[in-house]
Amino acid sequence: MLRANYKAVVIGGSAGSFSVVSKMLSQLRKDFHLPVIICLHRLKHVRSGLVESIRLKSNLEVIEPNDKEKIVNGKVYLAPSNYHLFVEYDGTFSLSTEKPCNHSRPCIDHTLSSAAYVYRNKMIGIVLTGANKDGAKGMKDIFDKGGVTIIQDPKTCEVDTMPKSVARLIKPEKTLSPDQIVEYLNQLA
Amino acid sequence: MDFKHYLQVLKEHTPYDFSDYSDNSIKRRLQKVISDNSLSLDELIQKTQNDQVFVERLVEEITVNTTELFRDPELWPAIYEKLINIIKTKKTFNIWHAGCSSGMEVYSSLIILSELGLADRARIYATDISKRMVNQCKKGVYRYDFNGGQLKAFEKVLKKNPIGGIKSIDFSKYLDVDVDNDKYIVKDYLRDMVITRQHDLVQDDVPFYNKFDVIFCRNVLIYFNASLQSKIYQMFHKQLYPGGALVLGNHESMTGFFKTKFKKNGAVYQKTNAFHFKYQ
């Protein structure tokens, strides 16, 4: 399947994913040209800290987007605490406080699915280590729209429930270690 | 499903106009109503035209009613640091919670005002599009289990970051607890201080004669599209006294023309005193 001109990378992760994401962002090319949209499960009462820690090592600018903020190439967006993060058709984000799904707000399924409807086959969806099944439905939407689906190799996961839940719903296009994921992203033209 | 067509039907046959809500979220929520009720689009239209009770329930379903006592605990000290300066010198002041949902933020703010010794000078107004939410706000009964953590988180914040010198709060002055029934019950004297009205920000004229010193509208406008947001900012600007403040949600940012008529300080947007012929 020919799928040039990707428009976005969207990543979901939970337990154990913070260090994986930190490391990945420190290894991504400085001139990486796509927006990287990340939804991680996080503690509700702890608003600050996560984005600051991720910023420390990242090669790209990391932002917790506001509602209606325009999605810009080469920037990293982290779903803010206690909001769901959606991608809209006009290339902006929207936020929502509707009830948690899969026990989480932000919910990974919401971010992945909304991105799938907007970017269709021009996106890359990645699910990392995590202890629940959030993200599986979203990855199925990406799969159905023809986008690239990548799961973190369960052997390299702190908790492998999340990528395995994806693999139960669809056959992911790639199963990769974090290093291999970075390698794959860095070689995208 | 053609949800835009449906929103037109809703607009024509009911008092509710959702046509300028954000596409993605209204679509998703309508789809949920349809699948939860196993309806076809035609059936949904039928029911919307004929069944008022259904319409009220639908409005509740497609609007978002999430709220918590002291939501975003870390933000309250910063918000109140600004607000104290605006209200402390006034003999009386008016606060409007626009889109108050079940009222938890109304009482969170009122508890802080009480602690600051400012509550007896405050006139508090609270409005929401949903009748059921307005009634819940009047009742002031909330889940104990769910909110207990919120109060603890807020206490922790206060210790590090006091509001006007307040380092801890004895919540039993404001809330009765019924653990067996999982309830917090706001005390009568606090509930009596709040004037509630059912009100749709999108359509209705403001239901109060007076202007406001502070308008709380946190995480309400995120469900509207950008042009509707501007319209609401204009209305808030008109309803605020010069120097009054609009408090938005943590990740909302005012855009468009009216941005120039407020001074932003975190989540607090203070109406500038500059004289404008047209909008003053």
Side-chain angles (χ1 to χ4, degrees):
Chain A
M1 205 185 314
L2 184 69
R3 288 177 304 200
N5 304 321
Y6 291 115
K7 289 188 172 152
V9 178
V10 187
I11 302 173
S14 187
S17 65
F18 168 73
S19 55
V20 176
V21 163
S22 277
K23 189 156 174 250
M24 282 171 57
L25 292 177
S26 71
Q27 294 171 345
L28 261 190
R29 283 162 46 163
K30 285 193 169 64
D31 61 347
F32 191 72
H33 63 297
L34 300 176
V36 180
I37 301 164
I38 304 175
C39 181
L40 301 182
H41 290 167
R42 47 199 293 185
L43 294 170
K44 179 173 130 187
H45 297 312
V46 186
R47 188 180 65 84
S48 50
L50 184 62
V51 69
E52 288 80 358
S53 321
I54 285 181
R55 254 178 215 148
L56 283 178
K57 291 191 179 168
S58 175
N59 282 331
L60 304 170
E61 187 186 354
V62 185
I63 300 165
E64 283 183 311
N66 282 332
D67 182 57
K68 307 278 186 289
E69 186 162 336
K70 196 153 182 46
I71 301 169
V72 176
N73 283 337
K75 294 202 193 302
V76 176
Y77 296 97
L78 181 67
S81 159
N82 219 358
Y83 287 95
H84 295 303
L85 177 70
F86 295 93
V87 174
E88 295 286 336
Y89 288 103
D90 61 357
T92 62
F93 287 114
S94 69
L95 298 176
S96 153
T97 62
E98 61 206 89
K99 64 174 185 247
C101 100
N102 300 320
H103 309 291
S104 180
R105 186 170 59 215
C107 153
I108 298 165
D109 277 337
H110 280 336
T111 305
L112 292 179
S113 295
S114 67
Y117 280 87
V118 171
Y119 298 122
R120 306 180 70 84
N121 64 345
K122 301 225 182 305
M123 71 171 285
I124 297 150
I126 303 172
V127 164
L128 304 172
T129 165
N132 65 20
K133 64 176 177 43
D134 194 15
K137 268 199 206 137
M139 287 290 266
K140 180 166 189 311
D141 284 336
I142 296 170
F143 183 85
D144 291 345
K145 303 280 178 200
V148 178
T149 48
I150 301 175
I151 57 169
Q152 183 180 349
D153 186 342
K155 290 198 290 285
T156 67
C157 287
E158 196 175 308
V159 189
D160 63 10
T161 319
M162 224 156 79
K164 277 187 170 165
S165 310
V166 176
R168 262 196 295 277
L169 267 189
I170 56 162
K171 189 175 178 309
E173 188 166 322
K174 295 173 197 298
T175 300
L176 303 173
S177 71
D179 286 343
Q180 288 169 322
I181 295 174
V182 172
E183 209 175 297
Y184 168 80
L185 293 176
N186 276 337
Q187 56 78 42
L188 292 171
Chain B
M1 125 169 181
D2 184 358
F3 72 101
K4 291 219 156 159
H5 167 66
Y6 173 71
L7 293 180
Q8 281 309 312
V9 173
L10 188 69
K11 185 177 171 177
E12 277 164 33
H13 291 86
T14 75
Y16 299 107
D17 179 5
F18 291 98
S19 55
D20 282 325
Y21 276 50
S22 280
D23 287 353
N24 218 336
S25 94
I26 197 78
K27 188 173 169 186
R28 199 177 53 252
R29 301 183 72 76
L30 273 176
Q31 269 161 351
K32 189 169 178 303
V33 171
I34 285 181
S35 78
D36 286 356
N37 292 283
S38 334
L39 294 170
S40 69
L41 181 57
D42 283 343
E43 287 165 337
L44 180 70
I45 288 174
Q46 278 265 318
K47 268 177 110 62
T48 300
Q49 290 169 339
N50 303 318
D51 185 346
Q52 237 182 331
V53 177
F54 174 79
V55 170
E56 288 297 324
R57 234 182 51 218
L58 176 113
V59 167
E60 263 171 51
E61 284 289 316
I62 58 183
T63 53
V64 173
N65 294 317
T66 327
T67 180
E68 295 153 30
L69 288 170
F70 301 100
R71 183 190 162 88
D72 303 325
E74 295 168 62
L75 298 182
W76 286 91
I79 290 173
Y80 254 91
E81 191 189 319
K82 310 286 169 331
L83 298 188
I84 287 172
N85 287 329
I86 294 170
I87 57 185
K88 69 178 176 198
T89 55
K90 307 234 170 176
K91 239 194 252 165
T92 61
F93 54 87
N94 302 329
I95 298 183
W96 176 18
H97 293 265
C100 66
S101 185
S102 62
M104 288 195 243
E105 190 157 292
V106 180
Y107 295 114
S108 303
S109 172
L110 191 46
I111 287 171
I112 296 175
L113 285 173
S114 301
E115 289 291 314
L116 292 169
L118 295 169
D120 50 353
R121 290 194 251 153
R123 277 187 300 208
I124 313 283
Y125 301 81
T127 60
D128 199 85
I129 186 175
S130 152
K131 199 173 182 175
R132 197 170 69 95
M133 285 302 131
V134 171
N135 285 332
Q136 283 199 16
C137 178
K138 269 187 213 164
K139 277 197 199 126
V141 178
Y142 307 114
R143 282 181 49 208
Y144 171 72
D145 191 35
F146 174 80
N147 286 291
Q150 288 291 118
L151 295 188
K152 276 196 196 109
F154 183 58
E155 286 252 77
K156 237 174 149 178
V157 167
L158 274 184
K159 252 186 212 119
K160 266 201 314 202
N161 216 345
I163 299 178
I166 312 291
K167 283 188 177 165
S168 75
I169 295 179
D170 174 6
F171 289 107
S172 69
K173 288 195 280 184
Y174 308 106
L175 307 167
D176 289 321
V177 179
D178 178 352
V179 181
D180 293 341
N181 294 305
D182 190 24
K183 278 177 187 165
Y184 272 121
I185 304 147
V186 178
K187 291 198 187 255
D188 287 350
Y189 78 94
L190 276 192
R191 294 193 300 113
D192 289 346
M193 294 175 69
V194 180
I195 300 155
T196 51
R197 294 270 187 288
Q198 186 181 7
H199 170 251
D200 180 358
L201 278 173
V202 175
Q203 297 199 318
D204 305 345
D205 288 339
V206 180
F208 310 114
Y209 292 110
N210 47 276
K211 291 199 173 192
F212 296 93
D213 298 282
V214 179
I215 299 173
F216 280 90
C217 187
R218 304 210 313 138
N219 303 312
V220 176
L221 304 185
I222 52 178
Y223 303 104
F224 299 171
N225 67 26
S227 78
L228 180 56
Q229 283 184 348
S230 316
K231 237 173 84 181
I232 307 290
Y233 291 139
Q234 176 171 358
M235 185 267 284
F236 283 155
H237 184 267
K238 207 175 131 195
Q239 297 306 323
L240 281 169
Y241 288 120
L246 170 65
V247 185
L248 295 178
N250 188 15
H251 280 276
E252 291 176 87
S253 170
M254 197 184 286
T255 53
F257 173 70
F258 274 83
K259 194 176 160 183
T260 61
K261 305 203 169 287
F262 289 89
K263 193 173 141 243
K264 176 179 161 60
N265 207 324
V268 179
Y269 287 75
Q270 190 169 10
K271 179 173 170 173
T272 52
N273 289 314
F275 187 78
H276 298 287
F277 289 101
K278 205 169 160 193
Y279 296 105
Q280 203 71 3

